[in-house]
Amino acid sequence: MADRVAGPAGRLTALPGTLLPPTIFAPVALAAGWTWESLDWLAGPGVGDLELAAGEIVARWPARKRGYRLLVGHSAGGVVALQVAAALGNSLDGLVLIDTGASAAHHGDPDLPQRLLAQWGGAFIDTFLLRCVGKEALDRHGDALRRYALATGPERAHRAMTSLRGLDLAPQLGEIRCPTLVIHGIRDPARSLRHARELATGIADARLETLDAGHTPMLECPDALAGCLDDFLSELRQPKCR
């Protein structure tokens, strides 16, 4: 008996990493019928706190309507997405986690929050963005990325980074009930394959895909990322028998 039937496509609510604008998902083309809904959680009432941001999203999550609803979280946005997915349970149709982890243990840049406060300004932002997106993507998208980061300001970013380092969501991974795709850039300087594997093994219905990218494949290899998403979304709509 089928417990999921093929139906209409739907919406992917996307949460970017700290100091990265929601527009970073725009280069990733989705299959027909699917649309991006990018959410600037960092600008919300939580003032950068990842737990407060997750609670606000859960409180505002719309009632089920026609079509699928998925959550896509990148980096710190992925940590927000993990908390939302655990809280929503079966109200969420799918979860995509991009270069993130259940905790900041073994993070590639543990001192980043302190440097942010001490060095905030254009030079710091350029160094931060270069590490996040790589030189090619920074050359293409640098002006928009810099404007967003500088407009956000150091207080929200610092709160996001410190709240990230205070969380360990490994015990909550078993609460996530929806199909999950974990994507990891093998050249990511911040998050390691160890983080991705912990997510893929801790979430019951999860699989791991790797890309030849750094920390932000949406800007570094959008076509390859689109291919991963297309496969995942196609499988999501297939009938499952039991």
Side-chain angles (χ1 to χ4, degrees):
M1 177 180 176
D3 62 3
R4 182 184 293 278
V5 295
R11 183 174 300 176
L12 284 73
T13 300
L15 310 177
T18 304
L19 286 178
L20 295 175
T23 53
I24 61 171
F25 295 91
V28 182
L30 297 174
W34 295 96
T35 59
W36 286 114
E37 176 190 59
S38 297
L39 185 59
D40 193 353
W41 61 272
L42 192 58
V47 199
D49 185 280
L50 274 63
E51 288 182 285
L52 293 177
E56 180 71 14
I57 294 169
V58 171
R60 294 176 176 270
W61 194 258
R64 182 174 290 281
K65 296 180 180 178
R66 186 171 174 80
Y68 290 82
R69 289 299 304 263
L70 286 82
L71 201 57
V72 181
H74 164 250
S75 193
V79 177
V80 176
L82 282 167
Q83 297 173 86
V84 174
L88 289 177
N90 292 329
S91 296
L92 190 64
D93 294 309
L95 176 65
V96 180
L97 301 167
I98 303 172
D99 288 274
T100 189
S103 77
H106 310 289
H107 192 285
D109 198 349
D111 300 324
L112 181 59
Q114 292 74 27
R115 291 205 316 281
L116 179 143
L117 287 182
Q119 302 174 13
W120 181 262
F124 171 84
I125 292 299
D126 273 1
T127 301
F128 172 82
L129 291 174
L130 181 62
R131 196 166 190 268
C132 277
V133 307
K135 186 177 186 308
E136 253 187 76
L138 187 58
D139 287 344
R140 291 196 308 271
H141 305 284
D143 288 345
L145 296 175
R146 292 183 188 97
R147 280 196 303 271
Y148 175 84
L150 288 168
T152 299
E155 291 82 10
R156 286 179 183 270
H158 181 262
R159 188 168 186 185
M161 292 175 183
T162 53
S163 67
L164 173 98
R165 284 157 177 77
L167 289 171
D168 181 2
L169 303 178
Q172 293 179 246
L173 297 181
E175 299 172 19
I176 296 173
R177 306 295 185 204
C178 60
T180 300
L181 173 63
V182 179
I183 296 174
H184 180 74
I186 59 174
R187 294 183 281 105
D188 187 347
R191 292 289 192 171
S192 69
L193 188 57
R194 175 178 183 171
H195 290 112
R197 285 175 173 155
E198 181 183 21
L199 294 173
T201 57
I203 300 171
D205 193 4
R207 79 163 188 253
L208 171 63
E209 297 282 352
T210 58
L211 294 174
D212 184 14
H215 188 61
T216 312
M218 297 83 74
L219 299 181
E220 298 173 62
C221 57
D223 292 344
L225 178 56
C228 287
L229 290 176
D230 188 44
D231 290 344
F232 180 64
L233 296 173
S234 296
E235 289 176 14
L236 191 70
R237 300 179 69 193
Q238 295 301 313
K240 294 182 181 179
C241 296
R242 61 182 179 208

